[in-house]
Amino acid sequence: MRIPVPPVPSKLIDVEVSDTTRRGALLAVLAPLLEDQEDGTAAEPLEIEGVRASGKAGDVQDVPGSRTRWLVGIGSGEPKNYRTAGAALVRAANAHFAAEAEAGEKPSRAVQVALPEEITADGVAELATGLLLGGYKFTVTADAPKASTRTVRLLTAYERAVPAYSEAVGRARILAESAALARDLANAPSNVKDPDWLATVAERVALTVPGLQATIRDENWLTEQGFGGVLAVGGGSASPPRLIELDYKPRGATKHLLFVGKGITFDTGGLSIKPADGMHMMRTDMAGGGAVIAAMRAIAALGLPVRVTALVPTAENHVSGSSYRPGDIVRHYGGKTAEIGNTDAEGRLVLADALVYGIKKFKPDAVIDVATLTGAMKVSLGLRIGGLFATDDELADRVRDAGERVGEAWWRMPLTEDYTDSIRGELGDVRQAVSGPGGIMAALFLREFVDGLPWAHLDIAGPARADRNYDDVVPGASGFAARTLVELAASYT
């Protein structure tokens, strides 16, 4: 019997813009980090009922008994500071409403935020993003959900600003929903989330937005077409693999992007089995595929005038008598063969099949793959920066710039040619897992399957998961890369 999970996609709170206050809603005031005056005298910080705001981005001061319930620091007032402030505020509000409910009171569950005069539409969008995502929670429990924020009203003193701010909030909501969906998919437990479940959810999501088409390929089709990498990885599981195809084809589009996301719904490591510590987090090993599915939903919802096709090869990497083995030779879609060195390097095998298939069938202008691919990237870049490998400088710049606009950091890594000979095979064409710098070797392997097209490989093994709150991210799956992909697509319009 399957364990029920919360509805996917998760429902986010309502954020609205108005020039009138909402009765009964608690008020939050945003406070900047002040600098000393030109004459050297100290700037006076905002103070209400004896509570002084620090102004530090994300610092929330509670003001009991006052019409203003919270003072929220916005730092220097840069857009990214507003995202941090919004996330911190919604967490404080959720804690307040939950405490009121536990005390037997009936919380209003509504907050209003007084916007500063100098805020821009970008700042409003970032504030909304923090509010929408900062209180995200995915739990599978018999307990009733705690009281939390339902609505946030952003108050502006200027009626003429309402339409522009509302438009900014609307776009921010679509991007936030993409991040939340990516989190949902990665957080779902793997006794529910097998390849068929992921494919079914992707198919259902496609039905919610105009112009997005889903096609699901089963194990019989994969066998007929020769997807040797996907079939090898999925061969040890009782749950057969799938290939998810999502296609968004607006009229008049002149550019065509191909997104490929790793969809390993659980990864034991196969016969090269992982240590028990931390294996439970391998339910998130399809975070790249989840980001791609979520990005496609947002791209279609925004109506971007660029064609985007997405492929998510999805499988479980399990241990059984039918598992693939180190020393096997796998024939990928298109005919190229790979020598298996480590069954825990399974992600690159499923991506290789999808890359060749997608390039041959759809003939895109550029290709971007996303995967929790190598632990080496966590060592190299930590848990908040994604690794970016690219064969094309313009594409690399587009990815980096897109990430900067949505608050996702990318660091370009080298495709070091000195290591290329190391992946040449002895029995097969290429070797799947060889010694050397892990992230680079994986990228070089994948490059063998992109046919010289402009290509970017995004390794999100570090930032795809979080162990604590930061900015709009909460513990668990972060949804990292989904918003970058949306902004990347938008950069071609």
Side-chain angles (χ1 to χ4, degrees):
M1 179 177 177
R2 292 192 168 189
I3 306 299
V5 296
V8 176
S10 291
K11 186 179 185 307
L12 302 182
I13 67 171
D14 292 325
V15 179
E16 59 190 27
V17 181
S18 179
D19 60 343
T20 59
T21 60
R22 175 171 176 161
R23 179 179 297 179
L26 300 179
L27 180 65
V29 173
L30 305 180
L33 184 65
L34 300 178
E35 299 179 356
D36 291 344
Q37 316 251 357
E38 291 184 3
D39 61 4
T41 59
E44 286 294 327
L46 180 63
E47 182 176 329
I48 297 177
E49 299 290 341
V51 177
R52 179 174 293 186
S54 74
K56 181 180 177 181
D59 181 58
V60 180
Q61 297 291 329
D62 190 69
V63 189
S66 169
R67 177 178 174 272
T68 299
R69 185 69 201 192
W70 297 284
L71 295 175
V72 185
I74 55 171
S76 61
E78 296 179 34
K80 63 180 181 180
N81 296 147
Y82 283 106
R83 178 161 38 88
T84 301
L89 171 59
V90 78
R91 289 170 192 144
N94 286 347
H96 174 79
F97 294 139
E100 281 191 328
E102 288 175 5
E105 301 176 32
K106 188 175 181 179
S108 70
R109 302 180 68 173
V111 176
Q112 49 195 342
V113 182
L115 298 177
E117 293 183 4
E118 65 276 8
I119 194 170
T120 64
D122 286 343
V124 171
E126 292 291 335
L127 178 64
T129 298
L131 291 165
L132 289 161
L133 290 174
Y136 170 91
K137 185 172 290 187
F138 186 99
T139 56
V140 182
T141 177
D143 295 335
K146 293 183 177 181
S148 60
T149 308
R150 281 181 177 164
T151 304
V152 178
R153 175 170 289 186
L154 306 181
L155 296 172
T156 175
Y158 305 103
E159 182 181 0
R160 65 181 181 275
V162 172
Y165 288 176
S166 295
E167 182 179 354
V169 169
R171 188 177 191 278
R173 183 176 192 87
I174 292 173
L175 287 168
E177 286 174 342
S178 73
L181 174 57
R183 293 178 186 182
D184 291 342
L185 296 175
N187 280 328
S190 292
N191 57 325
V192 172
K193 181 181 56 189
D194 60 17
D196 185 64
W197 181 91
L198 185 62
T200 300
V201 172
E203 194 170 30
R204 190 174 72 241
V205 163
L207 293 174
T208 66
V209 283
L212 187 58
Q213 302 294 323
T215 304
I216 308 303
R217 311 292 191 180
D218 66 12
E219 69 274 24
N220 296 321
W221 185 91
L222 293 168
T223 301
E224 292 169 1
Q225 296 296 317
F227 277 64
V230 176
L231 293 166
V233 173
S237 173
S239 300
R242 296 285 185 267
L243 177 68
I244 301 166
E245 291 186 24
L246 297 172
D247 199 14
Y248 170 67
K249 188 163 52 175
R251 289 184 178 179
T254 58
K255 289 290 185 180
H256 186 181
L257 304 179
L258 174 65
F259 293 164
V260 180
K262 174 185 171 184
I264 302 299
T265 55
F266 194 79
D267 181 20
T268 66
L271 295 181
S272 306
I273 196 164
K274 294 177 179 290
D277 291 346
M279 193 191 287
H280 65 285
M281 289 305 293
M282 288 301 98
R283 69 178 182 271
T284 67
D285 207 26
M286 39 55 63
V292 164
I293 294 168
M296 291 297 290
R297 178 176 183 258
I299 288 167
L302 290 169
L304 299 181
V306 57
R307 184 180 178 189
V308 188
T309 301
L311 299 174
V312 179
T314 177
E316 290 182 336
N317 189 22
H318 274 306
V319 181
S320 75
S322 57
S323 296
Y324 76 122
R325 298 155 289 260
D328 285 359
I329 305 292
V330 168
R331 185 176 298 278
H332 289 283
Y333 181 89
K336 187 170 288 189
T337 58
E339 300 175 12
I340 305 304
N342 186 327
T343 63
D344 193 25
E346 83 297 331
R348 65 199 71 179
L349 296 177
V350 301
L351 291 175
D353 279 348
L355 286 167
V356 176
Y357 170 75
I359 290 168
K360 182 177 180 180
K361 178 176 180 180
F362 299 106
K363 298 177 174 55
D365 297 298
V367 183
I368 302 90
D369 73 71
V370 192
T372 50
L373 207 62
T374 65
M377 293 310 301
K378 295 169 69 174
V379 177
S380 300
L381 299 176
L383 302 181
R384 300 190 185 181
I385 302 174
L388 163 62
F389 298 83
T391 57
D392 182 85
D393 291 342
E394 181 191 357
L395 180 57
D397 289 343
R398 283 180 183 270
V399 171
R400 215 162 26 198
D401 292 346
E404 186 175 352
R405 288 193 294 274
V406 297
E408 295 179 341
W410 299 94
W411 188 268
R412 190 172 183 184
M413 302 292 291
L415 286 164
T416 309
E417 296 298 338
D418 290 348
Y419 298 124
T420 303
D421 288 343
S422 298
I423 64 170
R424 299 288 171 240
E426 296 177 1
L427 298 177
D429 294 313
V430 289
R431 295 199 289 170
Q432 163 241 23
V434 295
S435 60
I440 295 173
M441 303 310 292
L444 289 172
F445 176 87
L446 291 175
R447 191 179 64 173
E448 295 292 311
F449 298 88
V450 297
D451 199 28
L453 284 179
W455 163 72
H457 161 56
L458 310 183
D459 192 332
I460 60 171
R465 312 169 182 100
D467 59 357
R468 67 192 68 185
N469 291 329
Y470 69 90
D471 297 337
D472 59 89
V473 175
V474 300
S478 67
F480 195 90
R483 285 174 287 174
T484 292
L485 292 176
V486 179
E487 283 292 335
L488 174 65
S491 75
Y492 286 91
T493 63

